[in-house]
Amino acid sequence: MRMVSGNDRRPGHRASAREVAADMSDAPVLGLPDWVYSDPDFYQRELEKVLLPSWQVVCHETDLPRAGDYQRLDFAGRPIIVVRGEDRRLRAFYNVCRHRAARLLDGDDSGRGHCDRLRIICPYHGWTYDLEGGLRGIPDRGDYAGLELSRWGLKSPEIEIWQGFVFVRCRPGGPSVSRIMEPFEEIIAAYRIPEMTALGRITLRPRAVNWKTVVENYADGLHVPVAHPGLAALCGDSYRLEAGENVMHISAEVADRGVGSWSSRAYVRSLPDVDCLPSGLRRRWNYFLLWPNLAFDLYPDQIDFMQMLPLGPDRTLIREIPYGHADDRREMRIARYLNWRINRVVNAEDRDLIERVQDGMASGVFGQGPLSRKETCLRLMAERLQRTLPEARLPRPPAGRNP
């Protein structure tokens, strides 16, 4: 199912069964109940049924140029590493020694690092693995009766490389990333993402909110004119949304509309043409939200991913990094700086908003709220979560569960 909306319902809008029922009964469509944003038991169910079966981005291929380079990602209690092998292949492993479960690799603050001697060596007892995950040596091997090295290599999650980005999935099953993104391949291919390199380091932003609070705010277009005056001036009324089962696509045409901050107006004036992009993408911001917690922002001057990593019922870590093509033009350097300035303000505004929402959800007095027909993403995300976890339809936690 795909639903298209802008400021009004447009031709081609396909209503869900939930919308049709609401229209016929004149009853409001309600968002998720407040308790699912803080209940610890429900959070554990989300990890098992929603998050662990989903694809998660770890890095870009160009982030790991040398054999032995690795990127670490801790997701939903699963410690993961992606390593460049001596054969140039990228492989994903769980960052857990097969002997006593010690963490193998640390990396820097962003999780990036390099394996000395092209080996993964456990800091606890010295078990040694090659870059293909095979166990190659252990101290005092003769003391382990019947141990066969070939049976004790590192365990692996599922891995896929799409548009240069390396994805992992802890629970197999469901469509591939390439299948999920297939409807948008023509748009995305124009950016030549596999050729891009990082424009900075991974940024980690902790937030004292439930992961859904961050995701829903990302997909909520109604708050932009109210809470983001600079962004609203840049995009005007050009926001458009195409909402599908696995991907929400939001787009906006940026222009100097004679209003807004100097950063917004200067960005549009400074932004140079990017030769690989067709004219229709040279002033368009594209946002893709992949169910359940991963977003890609595609700007003419750069792209980035934004990953909402759950740390607990009311804690989330936002992980992001920008990428772009090599471009020494002064105009491009200015545009990229101004893009960062614009989004820094938006991020600060959003932090205040999501904390307000989380506080209200935890207050015990909210319950549920009605959703507008224009809140297409929020409707579809609520429907999908409720299909996966039917208890999310209940106004209160099931009997016998923690509130």
Side-chain angles (χ1 to χ4, degrees):
M1 176 180 63
R2 180 159 288 111
M3 298 165 62
V4 181
S5 65
N7 291 329
D8 301 294
R9 288 192 180 185
R10 294 165 23 180
H13 174 91
R14 296 177 61 188
S16 69
R18 192 178 186 190
E19 285 185 296
V20 172
D23 287 343
M24 292 175 64
S25 66
D26 291 327
V29 173
L30 299 180
L32 293 169
D34 53 9
W35 67 272
V36 305
Y37 294 85
S38 58
D39 182 81
D41 292 327
F42 186 80
Y43 171 73
Q44 290 300 321
R45 293 263 292 153
E46 286 181 319
L47 294 184
E48 293 296 323
K49 299 296 185 179
V50 176
L51 292 154
L52 287 174
S54 68
W55 288 104
Q56 298 297 317
V57 69
V58 179
C59 61
H60 192 279
E61 287 184 292
T62 57
D63 292 330
L64 307 177
R66 302 176 298 162
D69 287 348
Y70 67 85
Q71 177 65 55
R72 173 183 164 189
L73 173 69
D74 294 335
F75 172 70
R78 302 303 194 268
I80 297 163
I81 49 174
V82 169
V83 183
R84 175 78 71 179
E86 294 184 77
D87 58 0
R88 307 300 302 159
R89 286 182 58 191
L90 291 172
R91 295 175 176 86
F93 306 110
Y94 288 111
N95 191 21
V96 176
C97 182
R98 296 297 306 280
H99 178 216
R100 295 291 294 154
R103 184 175 65 252
L104 293 166
L105 299 175
D106 294 315
D108 59 19
D109 291 344
S110 69
R112 188 83 45 85
H114 181 77
C115 297
D116 294 333
R117 295 185 289 169
L118 302 182
R119 288 290 185 267
I120 301 170
I121 303 173
C122 180
Y124 196 9
H125 295 103
W127 282 39
T128 300
Y129 305 85
D130 61 29
L131 300 182
E132 289 73 49
L135 179 61
R136 292 305 176 197
I138 61 176
D140 302 316
R141 177 181 174 184
D143 292 337
Y144 296 85
L147 187 142
E148 298 178 23
L149 297 187
S150 61
R151 295 181 57 188
W152 293 94
L154 298 177
K155 295 183 178 181
S156 299
E158 196 173 0
I159 185 172
E160 181 180 351
I161 297 175
W162 172 81
Q163 291 290 331
F165 283 108
V166 184
F167 290 78
V168 294
R169 183 166 60 181
C170 298
R171 297 271 173 82
S176 64
V177 180
S178 60
R179 179 66 180 273
I180 290 170
M181 297 301 293
E182 187 176 13
F184 308 102
E185 281 294 337
E186 184 176 355
I187 294 174
I188 293 168
Y191 290 85
R192 297 185 356 212
I193 297 173
E195 303 170 25
M196 292 183 173
T197 56
L199 298 178
R201 293 168 59 86
I202 291 174
T203 300
L204 302 173
R205 295 187 281 126
R207 296 290 183 262
V209 303
N210 184 267
W211 67 275
K212 295 186 296 300
T213 306
V214 187
V215 173
E216 290 169 347
N217 179 76
Y218 182 94
D220 180 355
L222 284 187
H223 80 283
V224 173
V226 178
H228 298 309
L231 185 61
L234 184 65
C235 300
D237 62 356
S238 67
Y239 260 87
R240 291 293 179 267
L241 166 68
E242 188 175 2
E245 178 73 7
N246 295 301
V247 185
M248 312 289 178
H249 176 212
I250 305 166
S251 64
E253 309 295 328
V254 297
D256 183 354
R257 306 176 194 278
V259 294
S261 68
W262 73 266
S263 296
S264 300
R265 301 183 67 183
Y267 170 79
V268 176
R269 292 195 298 265
S270 302
L271 183 62
D273 285 341
V274 178
D275 291 339
C276 67
L277 294 179
S279 58
L281 295 178
R282 292 183 179 184
R283 293 296 184 274
R284 181 180 300 167
W285 285 10
N286 282 294
Y287 305 90
F288 295 92
L289 177 61
L290 283 65
W291 172 263
N293 68 318
L294 177 61
F296 285 93
D297 305 332
L298 275 58
Y299 308 106
D301 50 293
Q302 61 190 293
I303 71 166
D304 64 63
F305 70 71
M306 178 176 171
Q307 192 173 19
M308 290 62 107
L309 300 175
L311 301 181
D314 56 2
R315 292 185 301 125
T316 300
L317 186 67
I318 301 174
R319 178 176 182 260
E320 58 188 346
I321 180 174
Y323 295 86
H325 294 290
D327 194 328
D328 292 330
R329 288 179 292 177
R330 179 174 179 270
E331 297 86 353
M332 182 59 79
R333 293 198 302 271
I334 292 172
R336 286 172 173 170
Y337 168 73
L338 292 171
N339 183 314
W340 171 81
R341 252 185 98 91
I342 294 165
N343 280 297
R344 183 183 64 172
V345 172
V346 172
N347 287 336
E349 293 166 342
D350 276 334
R351 179 173 188 170
D352 175 70
L353 296 172
I354 61 177
E355 289 176 351
R356 288 171 181 267
V357 170
Q358 187 67 30
D359 288 346
M361 293 292 186
S363 68
V365 300
F366 175 67
Q368 291 174 268
L371 295 177
S372 162
R373 290 191 180 97
K374 298 174 185 176
E375 295 177 289
T376 311
C377 284
L378 273 61
R379 288 175 172 228
L380 285 180
M381 287 190 293
E383 288 177 0
R384 177 153 187 180
L385 186 67
Q386 289 167 338
R387 287 200 308 272
T388 305
L389 298 173
E391 63 265 40
R393 298 190 177 99
L394 301 175
R396 290 176 296 279
R401 296 272 298 277
N402 293 327

